[in-house]
Amino acid sequence: MKYPNSINKKENKQINYGHRGMSLEYDINESNTFYLLNDIAVIHKKPTPITIVDVDYPSRSEAVITKAYFKIASTTDYNGVYKGKYIDFEAKETKNIKGFPIINIHKHQIEHLILVSKHGGISFIIVRFTALNQTYLLTCEKLKYFLDHFTKTSIPIDYFKKNSYLIKDKFNPRVDYLSIIDSIYLKGEKNEKNNQKY
Amino acid sequence: MKYPNSINKKENKQINYGHRGMSLEYDINESNTFYLLNDIAVIHKKPTPITIVDVDYPSRSEAVITKAYFKIASTTDYNGVYKGKYIDFEAKETKNIKGFPIINIHKHQIEHLILVSKHGGISFIIVRFTALNQTYLLTCEKLKYFLDHFTKTSIPIDYFKKNSYLIKDKFNPRVDYLSIIDSIYLKGEKNEKNNQKY
């Protein structure tokens, strides 16, 4: 969906919120639920990693964590199985309009994505430029290419436009990243369960 | 490793602890680290799922969770990629010597394993009978067969002996479940990276 440059930001924002839900995470979770309920794929968000310090047991059946810290994730947020393939990705939003600051993804998460790809999994990142209302899927290969060849701390929007895939707005699934995965990696593979383009 | 029936429990326990580490979870985590460092597979334990209620910010950089509850896991504890295949499993210990009480695995975890298998992933459970010092890998197919054909609330040890795979004690990796996966699912597939039997 493209807006003329003259449109005021407030209106744009209102349209985004009404149409697309709260956030990229929300949209991806909804999409994963759609994939699950329609028997297309089994992909889940991992729980937030924490270090538990203290736990109280006010009653026999109930445990309450009273002190814990957030840990830095050693892997990515999402993984699962699609047509027998291992799927692994990280999803990030940025308000930036010129590019995606690489610092938003931890170094060991990038290493994890590269390792997954090396072991035959399909790994990628999904980046939403909120101010542009554009969501891109960048494969691990293209991410690695950028990191190997450029010293920039931010991946320019132009790199996304030329080397990644725009995920078009849909009602359901909201962020249909698996149709992109189909077109990149699984051309010619037929889904035996139905004739939908998945 | 088999012990004569006459051996006293204390001695048995001492041998277990010295030889095999603290628990099945510990052994599997160590094995996954071995697989990762030796470039064999990328398999991780998922974080414990919790619901965060309160978070304090005593300083700008530090967040402390002051109230949270444990959630029932909707998926399994372990997943990852091995030779391009999606791997998904749950691991449980039991002190029982006659069988494995099915209640130890949540119903939706079993449903998840079956769904993964349906979508072309490799799913299974690893069960350690601590008092017998035996660890078995039971494929999702054989688990499903039991659930479909028997009304018992416990899977008898005999069912494991006849229908699952004993994972032999090793120094490293401690619980070499991927060698079992090789022998069941990946016969004939060659690992291009090395000649080890993986």
Side-chain angles (χ1 to χ4, degrees):
Chain A
M1 203 175 288
K2 275 189 178 174
Y3 295 98
N5 288 332
S6 60
I7 204 163
N8 74 58
K9 277 196 178 176
K10 198 170 164 241
E11 195 180 334
N12 193 352
K13 206 173 176 184
Q14 281 175 336
I15 293 167
N16 286 351
Y17 274 77
H19 187 59
R20 311 197 62 188
M22 282 147 49
S23 67
L24 179 59
E25 182 181 323
Y26 177 85
D27 288 352
I28 290 177
N29 290 345
E30 290 284 302
S31 303
N32 287 341
T33 302
F34 176 89
Y35 292 142
L36 193 69
L37 295 179
N38 289 279
D39 215 11
I40 293 162
V42 185
I43 297 167
H44 289 275
K45 185 175 188 294
K46 288 187 194 171
T48 306
I50 56 158
T51 305
I52 297 169
V53 181
D54 286 327
V55 181
D56 265 9
Y57 297 89
S59 74
R60 229 170 230 243
S61 59
E62 192 190 29
V64 185
I65 299 159
T66 52
K67 193 174 184 184
Y69 294 98
F70 292 102
K71 264 199 295 201
I72 292 173
S74 54
T75 65
T76 46
D77 268 358
Y78 301 91
N79 71 356
V81 61
Y82 174 53
K83 293 183 181 172
K85 302 284 180 191
Y86 176 74
I87 303 288
D88 196 307
F89 66 100
E90 187 65 25
K92 293 288 178 194
E93 285 184 336
T94 180
K95 289 177 185 169
N96 213 302
I97 55 165
K98 290 190 175 168
F100 174 69
I102 296 165
I103 202 169
N104 282 342
I105 301 187
H106 294 295
K107 202 188 158 205
H108 43 260
Q109 290 185 309
I110 293 174
E111 286 163 358
H112 172 77
L113 289 168
I114 292 169
L115 210 51
V116 162
S117 167
K118 195 178 160 193
H119 281 272
I122 295 174
S123 63
F124 51 91
I125 61 171
I126 293 176
V127 175
R128 177 175 288 173
F129 292 89
T130 52
L132 303 171
N133 197 22
Q134 290 172 354
T135 307
Y136 292 96
L137 187 155
L138 183 68
T139 64
C140 180
E141 293 72 28
K142 295 287 184 184
L143 173 63
K144 190 173 181 301
Y145 184 88
F146 183 86
L147 298 171
D148 289 346
H149 292 83
F150 300 94
T151 51
K152 290 175 184 172
T153 55
S154 180
I155 306 174
I157 181 76
D158 270 355
Y159 190 82
F160 280 93
K161 286 185 178 165
K162 284 180 193 149
N163 298 288
S164 76
Y165 299 82
L166 184 68
I167 308 177
K168 289 189 191 116
D169 283 350
K170 275 178 74 172
F171 176 65
N172 216 353
R174 286 162 179 273
V175 181
D176 190 9
Y177 60 90
L178 288 182
S179 66
I180 309 281
I181 294 305
D182 267 342
S183 69
I184 310 172
Y185 296 103
L186 307 171
K187 271 179 198 160
E189 281 198 29
K190 255 177 79 179
N191 192 334
E192 286 160 17
K193 281 193 288 291
N194 55 43
N195 292 321
Q196 267 182 272
K197 199 204 156 219
Y198 277 112
Chain B
M1 203 173 289
K2 275 189 179 175
Y3 294 99
N5 289 331
S6 61
I7 203 162
N8 75 58
K9 278 196 178 175
K10 197 168 165 245
E11 195 181 333
N12 194 352
K13 206 173 177 187
Q14 281 175 333
I15 293 168
N16 286 351
Y17 274 77
H19 187 59
R20 310 198 63 188
M22 283 146 49
S23 68
L24 179 59
E25 181 181 323
Y26 177 86
D27 288 353
I28 290 177
N29 290 344
E30 290 285 300
S31 303
N32 288 341
T33 302
F34 176 89
Y35 292 143
L36 193 69
L37 295 178
N38 290 279
D39 215 12
I40 293 162
V42 185
I43 297 166
H44 289 275
K45 185 175 189 293
K46 288 187 194 172
T48 306
I50 58 160
T51 305
I52 297 169
V53 180
D54 287 326
V55 181
D56 267 8
Y57 297 89
S59 72
R60 230 169 228 244
S61 60
E62 193 189 27
V64 185
I65 299 159
T66 53
K67 192 175 185 184
Y69 293 98
F70 292 101
K71 264 199 296 199
I72 292 173
S74 55
T75 65
T76 46
D77 268 358
Y78 300 90
N79 72 355
V81 62
Y82 174 53
K83 293 183 182 173
K85 302 284 180 190
Y86 176 73
I87 303 287
D88 196 306
F89 65 99
E90 187 65 25
K92 293 287 178 195
E93 284 184 335
T94 180
K95 288 176 185 169
N96 213 302
I97 56 166
K98 291 189 175 169
F100 174 69
I102 296 165
I103 202 170
N104 282 341
I105 300 188
H106 295 294
K107 202 187 159 205
H108 42 260
Q109 290 185 309
I110 293 174
E111 286 163 359
H112 172 76
L113 289 168
I114 292 169
L115 209 52
V116 161
S117 167
K118 194 179 161 194
H119 282 272
I122 295 174
S123 63
F124 51 91
I125 60 171
I126 294 177
V127 175
R128 176 175 289 173
F129 292 90
T130 51
L132 302 170
N133 198 22
Q134 291 172 355
T135 307
Y136 292 96
L137 187 153
L138 183 68
T139 63
C140 180
E141 292 73 28
K142 295 287 182 184
L143 173 64
K144 190 174 181 301
Y145 183 88
F146 183 87
L147 298 170
D148 288 345
H149 292 83
F150 301 94
T151 51
K152 290 176 185 172
T153 55
S154 179
I155 306 174
I157 181 78
D158 271 355
Y159 190 82
F160 280 93
K161 286 183 177 165
K162 283 179 194 152
N163 298 289
S164 77
Y165 299 82
L166 184 68
I167 307 177
K168 288 191 192 114
D169 284 349
K170 275 176 74 171
F171 175 65
N172 215 352
R174 287 162 179 273
V175 182
D176 191 9
Y177 60 91
L178 289 183
S179 66
I180 309 281
I181 293 305
D182 267 342
S183 68
I184 310 172
Y185 296 103
L186 308 171
K187 269 177 199 161
E189 282 197 29
K190 255 177 81 179
N191 191 334
E192 286 160 16
K193 281 193 288 290
N194 55 43
N195 292 319
Q196 266 181 272
K197 199 201 157 221
Y198 277 111

